[in-house]
Amino acid sequence: MTDIAEIEKLVATVQHSQQNELPEEFIGLFRSDAVWTTAHGKRLTGRDEIASFTRQVLPGAAKEATATYEVAHVLFIRPDVAAVKIRQRPVRPDGTPILDQNEGSPLYVLSKEDGAWRIAAGQNTIVL
């Protein structure tokens, strides 16, 4: 599998974990020392803090709305480090687009650890 395909698979796992409210699947995508900033500007440092927050907010989050995640651009900074721009579109649980909600525009910094891509840092931004 190519690095691009592996990165697309990681992003598909983000989508799967969010849509199906699977905190442990989501948490497993991060390096232990990762930094994650939510769309509302809350900074979470380290997998433990990301895990605590995710376990609180993810269950029940997809009841009325969720999102699709699409890799929009990949910049390989080094062979084992990539900046990945995501297009995040709000959808209802049945997959129909929610047209009156803004898209998200996350940026993930991924690093390849023991042959697998992991999220080292992430910043989600709402598109106004």
Side-chain angles (χ1 to χ4, degrees):
M1 188 179 295
T2 68
D3 283 320
I4 294 289
E6 290 175 10
I7 289 168
E8 288 173 341
K9 184 178 176 188
L10 179 142
V11 172
T13 303
V14 170
Q15 176 177 301
H16 181 265
S17 66
Q18 296 291 314
Q19 289 182 347
N20 294 285
E21 300 180 356
L22 302 170
E24 302 313 312
E25 183 178 82
F26 180 71
I27 294 160
L29 299 172
F30 290 87
R31 287 171 42 122
S32 63
D33 59 350
V35 177
W36 184 256
T37 304
T38 70
H40 301 290
K42 181 171 181 66
R43 187 186 70 217
L44 307 168
T45 304
R47 190 185 303 127
D48 290 344
E49 194 171 341
I50 294 165
S52 177
F53 177 82
T54 301
R55 288 182 187 122
Q56 288 176 6
V57 301
L58 192 54
K63 192 169 23 177
E64 295 182 24
T66 185
T68 61
Y69 294 74
E70 174 189 347
V71 173
H73 184 77
V74 177
L75 169 65
F76 287 98
I77 299 165
R78 297 188 328 217
D80 62 342
V81 177
V84 182
K85 197 65 182 153
I86 309 296
R87 185 172 185 193
Q88 181 186 54
R89 297 180 196 156
V91 295
R92 292 186 186 3
D94 68 3
T96 58
I98 302 174
L99 302 176
D100 63 343
Q101 282 188 13
N102 294 16
E103 288 189 10
S105 183
L107 174 67
Y108 301 162
V109 177
L110 307 181
S111 63
K112 203 166 197 179
E113 310 290 327
D114 298 321
W117 289 100
R118 295 281 176 249
I119 300 171
Q123 168 76 45
N124 198 353
T125 302
I126 294 174
V127 178
L128 299 179

